Amino acid sequence: MVLGLALAGWLSARSRAWALRADSGGRLASLPNYHGWYVGLWIFIPTVLFVFVWNAISPGLVLQSVLGSPAAEGLPAIESARLDALREARDVATGAASSTTNPDALPMIAPFSDALSQYRWIGIVLTLIIAGAAGAWSYLRVKPEFGARTRVERVIMAVLILASLVAVFSTFGILASLIFETFRFFEMVSPIDFLFGTFWSPDPMANPDNPDPTRYGAIPLFWGTLLIGAVIAMIVAIPIGMMSAIYLTQYAHPRFRAWAKPALEILAGVPTVVYGYFAALTVAPMIRDLAMSVGIANASSESALAAGIVMGVMIIPFVSSMADDSIAAVPQAMRDGSLAMGATTSETIKLVLVPAALPGIVGGVMLAISRAIGETMIVVMAASTAANLSANPLDSMTTVTVQIVAMLTGEGSFDHPATLSAFALGFVLFLVTLGLNFVALSVVKRYREAYE
Amino acid sequence: MTKIHPNLEAVDPKMNAESVSVYYGDKQAIKDVSIGIPAKYVTAFIGPSGCGKSTFLRALNRMNDTIPSARVEGQIELDGENIYSNSMDVVQLRARVGMVFQKPNPFPKSIYDNIAYGPRIHGIFEQKGDLDGIVENSLKRAGLWEEVKDRLNDPGTALSGGQQQRLCIARAIAVDPEVILMDEPCSALDPIATAKIEELIAELSGRYAIVIVTHSMQQAARVSDRTAFFHLGEIVEYGRTSDIFTNPIEQRTKDYITGRYG
Ligand SMILES: Nc1ncnc2c1ncn2[C@@H]1O[C@H](COP(=O)(O)OP(=O)(O)O)[C@@H](O)[C@H]1O
Ligand SMILES: [Mg+2]
């Protein structure tokens, strides 16, 4: 309805502007379209704001008037029963429920529907008045010399600012709630025990008021995360990613590069669950069988190695596309200079291109690590939930993200320290990835500047 | 056909090009060019831009090999040996025929490592002390030693443009080439830095065969012994620099040096 009004304003103002233009025979300061937009926005924005405000306050007003009606005297005195009755009556009145069996609610239905329709009409009338007033006021300003264009521009800017503020504030909101829950957890378990303890086995069934801090040592989780995400995955991803980037930038035929590079980047879009299947169903059993066949008996079928390898495969496109971009960004003159000195292509790559591109490559690798350690699906599916502090990659190990999932979906109540520990884990993980991203981006940025 | 000035003394050429044509894909950039490049002289290539000077220069050390679409026909000899034959090792060729580019392109490494780059990849030193000597010598010959001897570990990219270009010349000298090709080496430099490079070219000319591409006729007149005038992929006229500038044979050469085009 509001849109319709705005559209009407838009059309009428535009036609008026056209008419003005025809009348004066000259040019308007702004195109007729802008006058249309100006009036349309003037109608749309105040009206929408009003509708929001009205929707927020009208239930209160309705309730007020219902409580003022004579039927309200028959309501039960008990707070909860009274609220129940009111709620059921309202549901019937609005049509959300077809009938009610609550005897207290029955007499309230009629006053409720009266008040509802009364306030609905008030709302509609007010909306129309506001739209009309705003429309009329702005419509009157449609004159040849009126700068509607700059004003519309200003509104557009305001809308854009608003949109970016929404993004910023929601980030802060999420962060704030994370911090809040983390503090609640640290009231129960000291940060020292949490950050430096080496035994992780929260018991969601234990007495929540008296948690055993020795079971909340997060070191094994961070160790597992680092081993899987930063060590094993990178041992896989860095060499393969680098070599494919070098091949694509330096040796591949341009036509091959033209489709191979996007193809590699598509790999980055494969949902991580798919990698998870691959890890759990293919790679993990393969590694276990391989370990058995060379005589390692106690290899776990949920080894850190399997999760890490698949994670590495997932990360390859990130590493290779960052490395590709940074190598390709090294000026051709560097390459020519080296070749003209009599260096071979591979010497040129090793001695000039990779060193020159190194900051960008390092930045890419750090972004990749931060992605790997925040990655959830693969490890949830392929790694175990047993927290082991072990250097043997064939052991089962767990990661921070796996434990966050395990704790949040566990049996503990929401207030239980075992559940809250998920927030503390998330918060620490957030800080780590934030730090990594920050360093990585500043490295990449400095490197970009070096060639401009 | 190239007009050779009559009083051009015949010298044994260091490099000799015989009916060289260069193509980029289907487009012919150099048309049947023949020229001898003498040792211990400075030879200048002049001509309007786009006429193929850089292309021909790059053919002399096979830098065109790095451009996939480029193709070279004809024969270019270095000391009588065809550089496009299968037995010629490009790596060796480029060590013998060095190149300095239009825009200074020091590697993002220290000054020392920039100079040591060539000697290291070609293994032309016995021990670390020798390498220090090569670096010092090359920088001295390029007239840069006094300016940088206290900061050999600073990045080469931190030098001024003129210093960077002299660093690139020193880098080329460090592998002790026989020929040095320079493609408009001063076009990115201010007049003072240009004067320094020109001085340097004069000093180096007794030692190496130098080929310099330049768009400045004054520069060609100042630094070169011989001049070849390129036009539309051909060498129109070739002779002693003084002859070309005072006594051109072809109308096209006359037009160019009197500034009528290009
Ligand atoms: N890499 C290349 N690919 C295709 N054409 C090229 C390339 N380099 C140069 N050319 C063409 O070859 C011709 C000669 O260029 P160039 O040798 O650079 O001229 P100059 O150095 O005399 O200005 C020009 O027409 C130019 O457009
Ligand atoms: Mg050129």
Side-chain angles (χ1 to χ4, degrees), chain A residues 333-334 336-344 347-348 351-352 355-356 451, chain B residues 58 63 66 91 94 99 101 105-109 117-118 121-122 171 175:
Chain A
M334 289 296 136
D336 283 351
S338 171
L339 293 173
M341 292 300 301
T344 62
E347 283 165 345
T348 302
L351 299 172
V352 176
Y451 283 116
Chain B
R58 292 165 62 92
M63 278 301 283
T66 63
V91 166
R94 290 185 189 147
M99 188 160 206
F101 295 83
N105 59 348
F107 302 133
K109 299 173 182 290
Y117 188 79
I121 57 178
H122 295 296
R171 183 175 73 184
V175 292

mmCIF file of all heavy atoms in Angstrom, chain A residues 333-334 336-344 347-348 351-352 355-356 451, chain B residues 58 63 66 91 94 99 101 105-109 117-118 121-122 171 175:
data_model
loop_
_atom_site.group_PDB
_atom_site.id
_atom_site.type_symbol
_atom_site.label_atom_id
_atom_site.label_comp_id
_atom_site.label_asym_id
_atom_site.label_seq_id
_atom_site.Cartn_x
_atom_site.Cartn_y
_atom_site.Cartn_z
ATOM 1 N N ALA A 333 59.009 -6.649 -16.314
ATOM 2 C CA ALA A 333 60.386 -6.165 -16.434
ATOM 3 C C ALA A 333 61.345 -6.967 -15.551
ATOM 4 O O ALA A 333 62.503 -7.167 -15.919
ATOM 5 C CB ALA A 333 60.451 -4.685 -16.061
ATOM 6 N N MET A 334 60.857 -7.431 -14.387
ATOM 7 C CA MET A 334 61.702 -8.252 -13.504
ATOM 8 C C MET A 334 62.091 -9.544 -14.213
ATOM 9 O O MET A 334 63.229 -9.978 -14.220
ATOM 10 C CB MET A 334 60.928 -8.666 -12.247
ATOM 11 C CG MET A 334 60.643 -7.583 -11.279
ATOM 12 S SD MET A 334 62.114 -6.926 -10.608
ATOM 13 C CE MET A 334 61.710 -5.219 -10.707
ATOM 14 N N ASP A 336 61.960 -10.200 -17.446
ATOM 15 C CA ASP A 336 62.827 -9.929 -18.588
ATOM 16 C C ASP A 336 64.255 -9.688 -18.128
ATOM 17 O O ASP A 336 65.204 -10.189 -18.741
ATOM 18 C CB ASP A 336 62.325 -8.702 -19.355
ATOM 19 C CG ASP A 336 61.130 -9.028 -20.222
ATOM 20 O OD1 ASP A 336 60.814 -10.233 -20.348
ATOM 21 O OD2 ASP A 336 60.514 -8.097 -20.758
ATOM 22 N N GLY A 337 64.398 -8.892 -17.045
ATOM 23 C CA GLY A 337 65.732 -8.575 -16.558
ATOM 24 C C GLY A 337 66.495 -9.837 -16.209
ATOM 25 O O GLY A 337 67.669 -9.983 -16.561
ATOM 26 N N SER A 338 65.817 -10.755 -15.552
ATOM 27 C CA SER A 338 66.490 -11.986 -15.152
ATOM 28 C C SER A 338 66.814 -12.863 -16.358
ATOM 29 O O SER A 338 67.929 -13.379 -16.484
ATOM 30 C CB SER A 338 65.611 -12.744 -14.161
ATOM 31 O OG SER A 338 66.148 -14.018 -13.929
ATOM 32 N N LEU A 339 65.851 -12.997 -17.263
ATOM 33 C CA LEU A 339 66.101 -13.822 -18.450
ATOM 34 C C LEU A 339 67.239 -13.221 -19.268
ATOM 35 O O LEU A 339 68.084 -13.948 -19.804
ATOM 36 C CB LEU A 339 64.835 -13.931 -19.293
ATOM 37 C CG LEU A 339 63.689 -14.714 -18.660
ATOM 38 C CD1 LEU A 339 62.439 -14.614 -19.523
ATOM 39 C CD2 LEU A 339 64.081 -16.174 -18.466
ATOM 40 N N ALA A 340 67.279 -11.896 -19.356
ATOM 41 C CA ALA A 340 68.333 -11.251 -20.144
ATOM 42 C C ALA A 340 69.698 -11.445 -19.514
ATOM 43 O O ALA A 340 70.722 -11.294 -20.177
ATOM 44 C CB ALA A 340 68.032 -9.756 -20.307
ATOM 45 N N MET A 341 69.739 -11.752 -18.212
ATOM 46 C CA MET A 341 71.019 -12.054 -17.579
ATOM 47 C C MET A 341 71.467 -13.471 -17.882
ATOM 48 O O MET A 341 72.523 -13.909 -17.447
ATOM 49 C CB MET A 341 70.911 -11.914 -16.053
ATOM 50 C CG MET A 341 70.699 -10.516 -15.538
ATOM 51 S SD MET A 341 72.016 -9.387 -15.976
ATOM 52 C CE MET A 341 73.415 -10.196 -15.235
ATOM 53 N N GLY A 342 70.615 -14.206 -18.596
ATOM 54 C CA GLY A 342 70.981 -15.578 -18.916
ATOM 55 C C GLY A 342 70.426 -16.588 -17.937
ATOM 56 O O GLY A 342 70.826 -17.747 -17.957
ATOM 57 N N ALA A 343 69.499 -16.159 -17.075
ATOM 58 C CA ALA A 343 68.883 -17.116 -16.159
ATOM 59 C C ALA A 343 67.852 -17.950 -16.905
ATOM 60 O O ALA A 343 67.243 -17.474 -17.861
ATOM 61 C CB ALA A 343 68.219 -16.378 -14.998
ATOM 62 N N THR A 344 67.675 -19.184 -16.492
ATOM 63 C CA THR A 344 66.617 -19.999 -17.084
ATOM 64 C C THR A 344 65.286 -19.627 -16.435
ATOM 65 O O THR A 344 65.247 -18.884 -15.462
ATOM 66 C CB THR A 344 66.869 -21.493 -16.838
ATOM 67 O OG1 THR A 344 66.857 -21.704 -15.423
ATOM 68 C CG2 THR A 344 68.196 -21.937 -17.398
ATOM 69 N N GLU A 347 65.178 -20.717 -12.806
ATOM 70 C CA GLU A 347 66.020 -19.854 -11.961
ATOM 71 C C GLU A 347 65.333 -18.513 -11.738
ATOM 72 O O GLU A 347 65.362 -17.958 -10.637
ATOM 73 C CB GLU A 347 67.381 -19.622 -12.623
ATOM 74 C CG GLU A 347 68.327 -20.796 -12.501
ATOM 75 C CD GLU A 347 69.521 -20.698 -13.454
ATOM 76 O OE1 GLU A 347 69.488 -19.875 -14.407
ATOM 77 O OE2 GLU A 347 70.476 -21.447 -13.246
ATOM 78 N N THR A 348 64.731 -17.998 -12.809
ATOM 79 C CA THR A 348 64.031 -16.729 -12.684
ATOM 80 C C THR A 348 62.910 -16.831 -11.661
ATOM 81 O O THR A 348 62.727 -15.948 -10.829
ATOM 82 C CB THR A 348 63.460 -16.337 -14.058
ATOM 83 O OG1 THR A 348 64.540 -16.253 -14.975
ATOM 84 C CG2 THR A 348 62.731 -15.017 -13.997
ATOM 85 N N LEU A 351 64.632 -17.304 -8.092
ATOM 86 C CA LEU A 351 65.462 -16.226 -7.557
ATOM 87 C C LEU A 351 64.804 -14.854 -7.610
ATOM 88 O O LEU A 351 65.165 -13.970 -6.854
ATOM 89 C CB LEU A 351 66.789 -16.168 -8.322
ATOM 90 C CG LEU A 351 67.640 -17.436 -8.216
ATOM 91 C CD1 LEU A 351 68.825 -17.370 -9.144
ATOM 92 C CD2 LEU A 351 68.092 -17.630 -6.777
ATOM 93 N N VAL A 352 63.878 -14.672 -8.530
ATOM 94 C CA VAL A 352 63.308 -13.333 -8.668
ATOM 95 C C VAL A 352 61.804 -13.307 -8.412
ATOM 96 O O VAL A 352 61.314 -12.558 -7.575
ATOM 97 C CB VAL A 352 63.605 -12.747 -10.062
ATOM 98 C CG1 VAL A 352 62.923 -11.403 -10.238
ATOM 99 C CG2 VAL A 352 65.097 -12.601 -10.260
ATOM 100 N N PRO A 355 60.638 -14.670 -4.700
ATOM 101 C CA PRO A 355 60.999 -13.704 -3.650
ATOM 102 C C PRO A 355 60.224 -12.394 -3.774
ATOM 103 O O PRO A 355 59.768 -11.851 -2.774
ATOM 104 C CB PRO A 355 62.494 -13.462 -3.881
ATOM 105 C CG PRO A 355 62.970 -14.671 -4.570
ATOM 106 C CD PRO A 355 61.826 -15.174 -5.406
ATOM 107 N N ALA A 356 60.048 -11.927 -5.002
ATOM 108 C CA ALA A 356 59.333 -10.659 -5.151
ATOM 109 C C ALA A 356 57.870 -10.821 -4.769
ATOM 110 O O ALA A 356 57.250 -9.897 -4.256
ATOM 111 C CB ALA A 356 59.444 -10.153 -6.585
ATOM 112 N N TYR A 451 54.755 -2.027 -5.443
ATOM 113 C CA TYR A 451 54.850 -1.993 -6.899
ATOM 114 C C TYR A 451 54.027 -0.888 -7.524
ATOM 115 O O TYR A 451 53.814 -0.876 -8.717
ATOM 116 C CB TYR A 451 54.436 -3.353 -7.480
ATOM 117 C CG TYR A 451 55.526 -4.365 -7.319
ATOM 118 C CD1 TYR A 451 55.347 -5.474 -6.524
ATOM 119 C CD2 TYR A 451 56.750 -4.165 -7.934
ATOM 120 C CE1 TYR A 451 56.365 -6.376 -6.356
ATOM 121 C CE2 TYR A 451 57.771 -5.055 -7.767
ATOM 122 C CZ TYR A 451 57.582 -6.158 -6.973
ATOM 123 O OH TYR A 451 58.581 -7.043 -6.799
ATOM 124 N N ARG B 58 66.041 -6.961 -29.608
ATOM 125 C CA ARG B 58 65.747 -8.167 -28.839
ATOM 126 C C ARG B 58 66.060 -9.430 -29.628
ATOM 127 O O ARG B 58 66.272 -10.499 -29.033
ATOM 128 C CB ARG B 58 64.286 -8.165 -28.385
ATOM 129 C CG ARG B 58 63.988 -7.081 -27.341
ATOM 130 C CD ARG B 58 62.496 -6.847 -27.190
ATOM 131 N NE ARG B 58 61.806 -8.031 -26.720
ATOM 132 C CZ ARG B 58 61.583 -8.293 -25.433
ATOM 133 N NH1 ARG B 58 61.963 -7.428 -24.529
ATOM 134 N NH2 ARG B 58 60.978 -9.396 -25.076
ATOM 135 N N MET B 63 65.836 -12.401 -26.956
ATOM 136 C CA MET B 63 64.797 -12.108 -25.965
ATOM 137 C C MET B 63 63.411 -12.262 -26.577
ATOM 138 O O MET B 63 62.416 -12.377 -25.860
ATOM 139 C CB MET B 63 64.970 -10.693 -25.394
ATOM 140 C CG MET B 63 65.997 -10.604 -24.280
ATOM 141 S SD MET B 63 65.620 -11.671 -22.873
ATOM 142 C CE MET B 63 64.331 -10.720 -22.067
ATOM 143 N N THR B 66 61.016 -15.069 -25.547
ATOM 144 C CA THR B 66 60.105 -15.052 -24.405
ATOM 145 C C THR B 66 58.714 -14.577 -24.787
ATOM 146 O O THR B 66 57.808 -14.603 -23.973
ATOM 147 C CB THR B 66 60.636 -14.127 -23.284
ATOM 148 O OG1 THR B 66 60.687 -12.792 -23.791
ATOM 149 C CG2 THR B 66 62.033 -14.536 -22.845
ATOM 150 N N VAL B 91 71.217 -19.515 -22.729
ATOM 151 C CA VAL B 91 71.753 -19.022 -21.463
ATOM 152 C C VAL B 91 73.147 -18.437 -21.672
ATOM 153 O O VAL B 91 73.457 -17.334 -21.210
ATOM 154 C CB VAL B 91 71.769 -20.192 -20.456
ATOM 155 C CG1 VAL B 91 72.604 -19.848 -19.251
ATOM 156 C CG2 VAL B 91 70.344 -20.537 -20.048
ATOM 157 N N ARG B 94 72.978 -15.149 -23.767
ATOM 158 C CA ARG B 94 72.563 -13.939 -23.043
ATOM 159 C C ARG B 94 73.622 -13.490 -22.051
ATOM 160 O O ARG B 94 73.653 -12.316 -21.670
ATOM 161 C CB ARG B 94 71.225 -14.180 -22.346
ATOM 162 C CG ARG B 94 70.101 -14.299 -23.360
ATOM 163 C CD ARG B 94 68.767 -14.416 -22.711
ATOM 164 N NE ARG B 94 67.750 -14.741 -23.705
ATOM 165 C CZ ARG B 94 66.685 -15.485 -23.459
ATOM 166 N NH1 ARG B 94 66.502 -15.990 -22.259
ATOM 167 N NH2 ARG B 94 65.810 -15.726 -24.409
ATOM 168 N N MET B 99 71.853 -7.049 -21.730
ATOM 169 C CA MET B 99 70.806 -6.116 -22.146
ATOM 170 C C MET B 99 70.426 -5.177 -21.005
ATOM 171 O O MET B 99 70.343 -5.567 -19.847
ATOM 172 C CB MET B 99 69.583 -6.912 -22.590
ATOM 173 C CG MET B 99 68.512 -6.061 -23.220
ATOM 174 S SD MET B 99 67.410 -7.081 -24.198
ATOM 175 C CE MET B 99 66.814 -5.883 -25.366
ATOM 176 N N PHE B 101 67.400 -2.282 -20.097
ATOM 177 C CA PHE B 101 66.055 -1.984 -20.578
ATOM 178 C C PHE B 101 65.719 -0.510 -20.464
ATOM 179 O O PHE B 101 66.425 0.280 -19.842
ATOM 180 C CB PHE B 101 65.029 -2.816 -19.815
ATOM 181 C CG PHE B 101 65.167 -4.292 -20.065
ATOM 182 C CD1 PHE B 101 66.097 -5.047 -19.367
ATOM 183 C CD2 PHE B 101 64.377 -4.928 -21.010
ATOM 184 C CE1 PHE B 101 66.235 -6.402 -19.604
ATOM 185 C CE2 PHE B 101 64.511 -6.280 -21.254
ATOM 186 C CZ PHE B 101 65.447 -7.017 -20.550
ATOM 187 N N ASN B 105 65.161 -1.748 -14.144
ATOM 188 C CA ASN B 105 64.437 -2.856 -13.515
ATOM 189 C C ASN B 105 65.318 -3.639 -12.550
ATOM 190 O O ASN B 105 65.515 -4.834 -12.716
ATOM 191 C CB ASN B 105 63.856 -3.791 -14.585
ATOM 192 C CG ASN B 105 64.932 -4.384 -15.480
ATOM 193 O OD1 ASN B 105 66.068 -3.932 -15.457
ATOM 194 N ND2 ASN B 105 64.583 -5.390 -16.248
ATOM 195 N N PRO B 106 65.848 -2.945 -11.520
ATOM 196 C CA PRO B 106 66.618 -3.710 -10.533
ATOM 197 C C PRO B 106 65.720 -4.733 -9.862
ATOM 198 O O PRO B 106 64.524 -4.521 -9.733
ATOM 199 C CB PRO B 106 67.069 -2.641 -9.535
ATOM 200 C CG PRO B 106 66.074 -1.550 -9.666
ATOM 201 C CD PRO B 106 65.647 -1.557 -11.101
ATOM 202 N N PHE B 107 66.304 -5.864 -9.461
ATOM 203 C CA PHE B 107 65.525 -6.857 -8.740
ATOM 204 C C PHE B 107 65.247 -6.330 -7.339
ATOM 205 O O PHE B 107 66.039 -5.548 -6.805
ATOM 206 C CB PHE B 107 66.297 -8.174 -8.640
ATOM 207 C CG PHE B 107 66.670 -8.743 -9.971
ATOM 208 C CD1 PHE B 107 67.959 -9.192 -10.216
ATOM 209 C CD2 PHE B 107 65.731 -8.828 -10.984
ATOM 210 C CE1 PHE B 107 68.305 -9.717 -11.455
ATOM 211 C CE2 PHE B 107 66.070 -9.350 -12.220
ATOM 212 C CZ PHE B 107 67.361 -9.797 -12.457
ATOM 213 N N PRO B 108 64.164 -6.772 -6.733
ATOM 214 C CA PRO B 108 63.892 -6.332 -5.358
ATOM 215 C C PRO B 108 64.823 -7.033 -4.360
ATOM 216 O O PRO B 108 64.393 -7.796 -3.511
ATOM 217 C CB PRO B 108 62.422 -6.710 -5.132
ATOM 218 C CG PRO B 108 62.128 -7.754 -6.137
ATOM 219 C CD PRO B 108 63.069 -7.574 -7.279
ATOM 220 N N LYS B 109 66.104 -6.827 -4.545
ATOM 221 C CA LYS B 109 67.131 -7.417 -3.694
ATOM 222 C C LYS B 109 68.120 -6.314 -3.343
ATOM 223 O O LYS B 109 68.020 -5.204 -3.845
ATOM 224 C CB LYS B 109 67.892 -8.503 -4.456
ATOM 225 C CG LYS B 109 67.095 -9.686 -4.942
ATOM 226 C CD LYS B 109 67.992 -10.554 -5.818
ATOM 227 C CE LYS B 109 67.250 -11.747 -6.378
ATOM 228 N NZ LYS B 109 66.918 -12.728 -5.352
ATOM 229 N N TYR B 117 73.933 -11.285 -9.070
ATOM 230 C CA TYR B 117 72.942 -12.200 -9.643
ATOM 231 C C TYR B 117 73.508 -13.022 -10.808
ATOM 232 O O TYR B 117 73.465 -14.258 -10.798
ATOM 233 C CB TYR B 117 71.728 -11.398 -10.110
ATOM 234 C CG TYR B 117 70.558 -12.245 -10.546
ATOM 235 C CD1 TYR B 117 69.719 -12.820 -9.612
ATOM 236 C CD2 TYR B 117 70.297 -12.466 -11.899
ATOM 237 C CE1 TYR B 117 68.649 -13.594 -9.998
ATOM 238 C CE2 TYR B 117 69.219 -13.242 -12.293
ATOM 239 C CZ TYR B 117 68.399 -13.802 -11.337
ATOM 240 O OH TYR B 117 67.352 -14.577 -11.722
ATOM 241 N N GLY B 118 74.065 -12.315 -11.795
ATOM 242 C CA GLY B 118 74.592 -13.000 -12.974
ATOM 243 C C GLY B 118 75.755 -13.920 -12.638
ATOM 244 O O GLY B 118 75.740 -15.106 -12.988
ATOM 245 N N ILE B 121 74.449 -17.119 -11.025
ATOM 246 C CA ILE B 121 73.771 -18.138 -11.832
ATOM 247 C C ILE B 121 74.717 -18.745 -12.857
ATOM 248 O O ILE B 121 74.508 -19.869 -13.290
ATOM 249 C CB ILE B 121 72.484 -17.618 -12.524
ATOM 250 C CG1 ILE B 121 72.773 -16.410 -13.398
ATOM 251 C CG2 ILE B 121 71.391 -17.322 -11.541
ATOM 252 C CD1 ILE B 121 71.545 -15.909 -14.127
ATOM 253 N N HIS B 122 75.750 -18.006 -13.237
ATOM 254 C CA HIS B 122 76.670 -18.591 -14.212
ATOM 255 C C HIS B 122 77.885 -19.204 -13.540
ATOM 256 O O HIS B 122 78.755 -19.758 -14.221
ATOM 257 C CB HIS B 122 77.103 -17.534 -15.229
ATOM 258 C CG HIS B 122 75.960 -17.044 -16.070
ATOM 259 N ND1 HIS B 122 75.275 -17.864 -16.925
ATOM 260 C CD2 HIS B 122 75.376 -15.828 -16.166
ATOM 261 C CE1 HIS B 122 74.309 -17.175 -17.517
ATOM 262 N NE2 HIS B 122 74.347 -15.938 -17.064
ATOM 263 N N ARG B 171 75.004 -4.495 -13.429
ATOM 264 C CA ARG B 171 74.541 -5.878 -13.346
ATOM 265 C C ARG B 171 74.849 -6.615 -14.648
ATOM 266 O O ARG B 171 75.273 -7.768 -14.650
ATOM 267 C CB ARG B 171 73.033 -5.863 -13.084
ATOM 268 C CG ARG B 171 72.400 -7.200 -12.903
ATOM 269 C CD ARG B 171 70.935 -7.034 -12.534
ATOM 270 N NE ARG B 171 70.131 -6.606 -13.674
ATOM 271 C CZ ARG B 171 68.838 -6.310 -13.596
ATOM 272 N NH1 ARG B 171 68.214 -6.350 -12.436
ATOM 273 N NH2 ARG B 171 68.170 -5.944 -14.666
ATOM 274 N N VAL B 175 78.740 -10.001 -15.637
ATOM 275 C CA VAL B 175 79.023 -11.310 -16.218
ATOM 276 C C VAL B 175 80.001 -11.178 -17.379
ATOM 277 O O VAL B 175 80.193 -12.126 -18.149
ATOM 278 C CB VAL B 175 77.741 -12.035 -16.687
ATOM 279 C CG1 VAL B 175 76.894 -12.427 -15.488
ATOM 280 C CG2 VAL B 175 76.937 -11.183 -17.646
#
